Amino acid sequence: MELFDDIIIDIKQLTFSRGNRYIYKDVDIRIPRGKVTAIMGPSGTGKTTLLRLIGGQLKPDSGSILLDGDDIPCLGRSELFDVREKMGMLFQSGALFTDMSVFENVAFPIRVHTKLPEDMVRDVVLMKLQAVGLRGAAQLMPSELSGGMSRRVALARAIALAPALVMYDEPFAGQDPIAMGVLVNLIQKLNQALGHTSIIVSHDIKEALSIADYVYIIADAGVIAQGTPEELQKVDSEQVRQFMMGLPDGPVPFHFPAADITTELMEG
Amino acid sequence: MQPVLDNIALFGRAGLDKVEAVGRSGMILINAIVARPDPVQSFPLLIRQLYSVGVLSMIIIIVSGLFIGMVLALQGYTILVDYGTEQAVGQMVALSLVRELAPVVAALLFAGRAGSALTAEIGLMKATEQLSSMEMIGVDPLRRIIAPRFWAGFISLPILTMIFSAVGVWGAMLVGVEWLGVYEGSFWANMQNSVDFFDDVVNGLIKAQVFGLVVTWVAVFQGYDALPTSEGISQATTKTVVYSSLAILGLDFIMTALMFGDF
C-alpha cells in the first residue's frame, strides 16, 4: 500500500494492562510519515493511553514501539528526553504553564532546546502565534484565555521546534462549533505547510474523518477496524457501525452490566 | 478461612505499596539531586524558589520566634526568681532555642507553610498535565520543577532556624531585661559563657539541615506522587504536614540522643 511505504511509527505486538484489565493486547499499528492518522473509538478504550505509550510516559507490558527505529520502551531516561524533542503534543486541557504568559509558554521549548538569541526567539514565537491567530494575545496569561484559545496556544507551543510528529489528544472535545472549525482548519493547514506527521485521538467522528488520511478504530483491547475514511464507511461490522453512526445501543450496551431490575426492585 | 487470607493479602499489599512508595521517593530524590545542573537556566529557578520557599516564610518564623523567646523568658523568670537565679534566664532561653526549639519549631512551621504549598503546587501542576506537557517538550520535570524546590528548602531552613534563634533571644531580652528588670550584663554574660558554638549552635544547625532535607523531600515527593484529582491533592497536602511533623519529632529525639546524650 502506497500510504505505508514510509512509516514513522511502527507498533508491534503491543500489550498494556491496568490491574487485571487489558487496555491493549497484541496490537499492531503503523503510522505513515507526513500524514494525518486518526485514532478513534469509544471513551475509555485507551486512546490517550496510546499517545502516552508513544511518548514514553507509560511502559507497555510487552511489544515494541519504534519511532524512526528507536524502540521507545527500551530507551533510558535521558535518551527518551532527546527523542521527545522530535515530538509535540497537544493535551486535552492545553496544559499551558500557568505562571508564564502566552509568549513565554511558546518560547519555553525554544529557550530550553536552542541557543537562539532573544530577538530571534521573539520572531519565531510571534510567527507561531500568528499561525494560530493569537499574536495579539501574546502578553495575556493562560487564565485570561478561553478553552479554544488555550488549545491554539498549546498548538503553537507544540509546533515551536518544528517536530517530526505532533500528537493531538482530543483536540475538539468541549469546543463550540466555531472553535472546532478553527482547530480542524489549523491542524490540516499546519500539517500540509510544515510536513509533519499528525496523530489525532478523537471521538468526534465528522471532524476527525474530514482531515484524516488513515483511521484506526480501537475497542476491546485491539484495533477493530482500520482504513481510509472512505473504506471505513463500507466496513460491515455492527460494532464499527454503532460507533460511526452514534447509535445508543448495540454491541457496546447502553446499560452497565447489572442484575435483573425486577429482581433487584423486589429485593428492596 | 478465605476472609482471613484476604485480610492477610490486603495487609501484605498495603505493606508492599508503602515499600514501593519509599523506593519511588528515593528515585525521585536521586534523579533530582544528580540531575546535571545547567547554571544559566537552573540559577534563576533556584533564586525564585528561595524567594517563595524561604523569604516568604520569614514573617511566620520571625513572629513565632519572637513570641516563643518572650514566653520562655517569662516562664523561666517565674521559676528562677524563686531561687534567686533570674540572671540565668538568658542562658536558659538561648540553650533551649539553639539546641531544640529553634530547629524543631522552625521546621514544623516550615512544613506547614512551605511544605504544604510545595505539595499543592506540584500536585496541581500534575493534575493540569503541566508536568506531562513538560516531559513531552523534552524537559525533565525532576530537574526543572523538583530540583530547584528541593534545594531551596534544603538551603532555606537552616537560615530560617538561625533567624528564629536570634529573634527568640531578642524577645527574651525584651521580656527579661526591659520588662522584668534582669541585669543586662548578667543576661548576656551568662549566655556567652554557657552556649558553646560547636556543641550547641552547630549541632542545632545540623538538626535544621536534616529537617530541611526531610521536610522538602516529603513535600516534593507527595506532590509529584499525588493522585491528579482535587481529593488526591488534598490528601497529599495533609500527608506532607503529618509525615514531616512526625519525622521532625522522631529524628529530633534520635539526634538529641546522639548529640547530647551521655552514653
Side-chain angles (χ1 to χ4, degrees), chain A residues 87-106:
Chain A
M87 304 178 189
M89 183 153 167
L90 179 69
F91 286 83
Q92 195 173 343
S93 60
L96 297 177
F97 304 130
T98 45
D99 57 340
M100 296 181 194
S101 67
V102 164
F103 182 93
E104 290 300 323
N105 262 283
V106 182

Side-chain angles (χ1 to χ4, degrees), chain A residues 5 88 108 122 182 254:
Chain A
D5 283 347
F108 180 78
R122 181 177 171 275
V182 168
F254 170 70

Side-chain angles (χ1 to χ4, degrees), chain A residues 52 55 57 77 81 84 87 89 91-93 95-100 108-109 111-113 157 167, chain B residues 31 41 48 121 125 127-142 144 149 224:
Chain A
R52 290 188 182 273
Q57 292 185 307
R77 198 174 169 79
F81 279 106
R84 282 181 185 148
M87 304 178 189
M89 183 153 167
F91 286 83
Q92 195 173 343
S93 60
L96 297 177
F97 304 130
T98 45
D99 57 340
M100 296 181 194
F108 180 78
R111 291 213 172 104
V112 171
H113 291 302
R157 187 178 67 181
M167 299 189 276
Chain B
N31 277 315
Q41 291 190 355
R48 198 164 148 187
E121 185 191 17
M125 288 178 92
T128 53
E129 295 183 309
Q130 291 181 52
L131 297 183
S132 290
S133 70
M134 197 169 274
E135 279 185 358
M136 290 307 298
I137 288 170
V139 175
D140 189 348
L142 290 180
R144 175 99 193 176
R149 283 163 177 76
Y224 196 74

